PDB file of all heavy atoms in Angstrom:
ATOM      1  N   HIS A 331     -15.764  26.135  17.456  1.00 98.00           N
ATOM      2  CA  HIS A 331     -16.143  24.968  16.659  1.00 98.00           C
ATOM      3  C   HIS A 331     -16.318  25.411  15.204  1.00 98.00           C
ATOM      4  O   HIS A 331     -17.264  26.108  14.881  1.00 98.00           O
ATOM      5  CB  HIS A 331     -17.425  24.359  17.211  1.00 98.00           C
ATOM      6  CG  HIS A 331     -17.715  22.984  16.692  1.00 98.00           C
ATOM      7  ND1 HIS A 331     -17.238  22.530  15.462  1.00 98.00           N
ATOM      8  CD2 HIS A 331     -18.410  21.953  17.220  1.00 98.00           C
ATOM      9  CE1 HIS A 331     -17.646  21.283  15.283  1.00 98.00           C
ATOM     10  NE2 HIS A 331     -18.354  20.903  16.322  1.00 98.00           N
ATOM     11  N   LEU A 332     -15.393  24.981  14.371  1.00 98.00           N
ATOM     12  CA  LEU A 332     -15.444  25.373  12.962  1.00 98.00           C
ATOM     13  C   LEU A 332     -16.328  24.441  12.134  1.00 98.00           C
ATOM     14  O   LEU A 332     -16.267  24.454  10.900  1.00 98.00           O
ATOM     15  CB  LEU A 332     -14.037  25.445  12.355  1.00 98.00           C
ATOM     16  CG  LEU A 332     -13.284  26.768  12.582  1.00 98.00           C
ATOM     17  CD1 LEU A 332     -12.849  26.922  14.028  1.00 98.00           C
ATOM     18  CD2 LEU A 332     -12.067  26.878  11.675  1.00 98.00           C
ATOM     19  N   ILE A 333     -17.122  23.622  12.799  1.00 98.00           N
ATOM     20  CA  ILE A 333     -18.097  22.721  12.157  1.00 98.00           C
ATOM     21  C   ILE A 333     -17.426  21.924  11.037  1.00 98.00           C
ATOM     22  O   ILE A 333     -16.603  21.072  11.313  1.00 98.00           O
ATOM     23  CB  ILE A 333     -19.334  23.510  11.659  1.00 98.00           C
ATOM     24  CG1 ILE A 333     -19.809  24.470  12.761  1.00 98.00           C
ATOM     25  CG2 ILE A 333     -20.457  22.576  11.247  1.00 98.00           C
ATOM     26  CD1 ILE A 333     -20.350  23.834  14.000  1.00 98.00           C
ATOM     27  N   GLY A 334     -17.726  22.219   9.787  1.00 98.00           N
ATOM     28  CA  GLY A 334     -17.178  21.420   8.689  1.00 98.00           C
ATOM     29  C   GLY A 334     -15.682  21.599   8.481  1.00 98.00           C
ATOM     30  O   GLY A 334     -15.054  20.807   7.777  1.00 98.00           O
ATOM     31  N   ALA A 335     -15.089  22.618   9.082  1.00 98.00           N
ATOM     32  CA  ALA A 335     -13.644  22.828   8.969  1.00 98.00           C
ATOM     33  C   ALA A 335     -12.923  22.493  10.273  1.00 98.00           C
ATOM     34  O   ALA A 335     -11.706  22.638  10.361  1.00 98.00           O
ATOM     35  CB  ALA A 335     -13.350  24.285   8.579  1.00 98.00           C
ATOM     36  N   ALA A 336     -13.662  22.032  11.265  1.00 98.00           N
ATOM     37  CA  ALA A 336     -13.085  21.859  12.606  1.00 98.00           C
ATOM     38  C   ALA A 336     -11.882  20.919  12.599  1.00 98.00           C
ATOM     39  O   ALA A 336     -10.791  21.284  13.048  1.00 98.00           O
ATOM     40  CB  ALA A 336     -14.162  21.350  13.563  1.00 98.00           C
ATOM     41  N   SER A 337     -12.065  19.711  12.078  1.00 98.00           N
ATOM     42  CA  SER A 337     -10.970  18.745  12.212  1.00 98.00           C
ATOM     43  C   SER A 337      -9.782  19.105  11.328  1.00 98.00           C
ATOM     44  O   SER A 337      -8.674  18.626  11.562  1.00 98.00           O
ATOM     45  CB  SER A 337     -11.463  17.315  11.953  1.00 98.00           C
ATOM     46  OG  SER A 337     -12.457  17.266  10.974  1.00 98.00           O
ATOM     47  N   ALA A 338      -9.982  19.962  10.339  1.00 98.00           N
ATOM     48  CA  ALA A 338      -8.847  20.421   9.538  1.00 98.00           C
ATOM     49  C   ALA A 338      -7.957  21.345  10.370  1.00 98.00           C
ATOM     50  O   ALA A 338      -6.738  21.148  10.461  1.00 98.00           O
ATOM     51  CB  ALA A 338      -9.328  21.136   8.275  1.00 98.00           C
ATOM     52  N   VAL A 339      -8.565  22.340  11.017  1.00 98.00           N
ATOM     53  CA  VAL A 339      -7.777  23.248  11.854  1.00 98.00           C
ATOM     54  C   VAL A 339      -7.163  22.482  13.030  1.00 98.00           C
ATOM     55  O   VAL A 339      -6.016  22.736  13.435  1.00 98.00           O
ATOM     56  CB  VAL A 339      -8.649  24.430  12.337  1.00 98.00           C
ATOM     57  CG1 VAL A 339      -7.930  25.236  13.410  1.00 98.00           C
ATOM     58  CG2 VAL A 339      -9.005  25.334  11.158  1.00 98.00           C
ATOM     59  N   GLU A 340      -7.918  21.525  13.543  1.00 98.00           N
ATOM     60  CA  GLU A 340      -7.423  20.765  14.700  1.00 98.00           C
ATOM     61  C   GLU A 340      -6.234  19.868  14.343  1.00 98.00           C
ATOM     62  O   GLU A 340      -5.415  19.539  15.214  1.00 98.00           O
ATOM     63  CB  GLU A 340      -8.585  19.962  15.311  1.00 98.00           C
ATOM     64  CG  GLU A 340      -9.563  20.906  16.020  1.00 98.00           C
ATOM     65  CD  GLU A 340     -10.963  20.359  16.198  1.00 98.00           C
ATOM     66  OE1 GLU A 340     -11.139  19.126  16.175  1.00 98.00           O
ATOM     67  OE2 GLU A 340     -11.891  21.169  16.347  1.00 98.00           O
ATOM     68  N   LEU A 341      -6.111  19.509  13.076  1.00 98.00           N
ATOM     69  CA  LEU A 341      -4.953  18.694  12.679  1.00 98.00           C
ATOM     70  C   LEU A 341      -3.648  19.472  12.885  1.00 98.00           C
ATOM     71  O   LEU A 341      -2.582  18.868  13.055  1.00 98.00           O
ATOM     72  CB  LEU A 341      -5.093  18.250  11.211  1.00 98.00           C
ATOM     73  CG  LEU A 341      -4.297  16.991  10.836  1.00 98.00           C
ATOM     74  CD1 LEU A 341      -4.851  15.765  11.555  1.00 98.00           C
ATOM     75  CD2 LEU A 341      -4.292  16.766   9.335  1.00 98.00           C
ATOM     76  N   ILE A 342      -3.743  20.802  12.888  1.00 98.00           N
ATOM     77  CA  ILE A 342      -2.548  21.618  13.122  1.00 98.00           C
ATOM     78  C   ILE A 342      -2.003  21.368  14.536  1.00 98.00           C
ATOM     79  O   ILE A 342      -0.783  21.356  14.743  1.00 98.00           O
ATOM     80  CB  ILE A 342      -2.861  23.115  12.896  1.00 98.00           C
ATOM     81  CG1 ILE A 342      -3.177  23.337  11.415  1.00 98.00           C
ATOM     82  CG2 ILE A 342      -1.704  24.003  13.336  1.00 98.00           C
ATOM     83  CD1 ILE A 342      -3.767  24.694  11.100  1.00 98.00           C
ATOM     84  N   ALA A 343      -2.906  21.131  15.497  1.00 98.00           N
ATOM     85  CA  ALA A 343      -2.454  20.820  16.860  1.00 98.00           C
ATOM     86  C   ALA A 343      -1.711  19.484  16.875  1.00 98.00           C
ATOM     87  O   ALA A 343      -0.733  19.313  17.611  1.00 98.00           O
ATOM     88  CB  ALA A 343      -3.642  20.790  17.819  1.00 98.00           C
TER      89      ALA A 343
END
Side-chain angles (χ1 to χ4, degrees):
Chain A
H331 194 334
L332 276 71
I333 314 294
S337 35
V339 169
E340 289 158 22
L341 203 67
I342 294 168

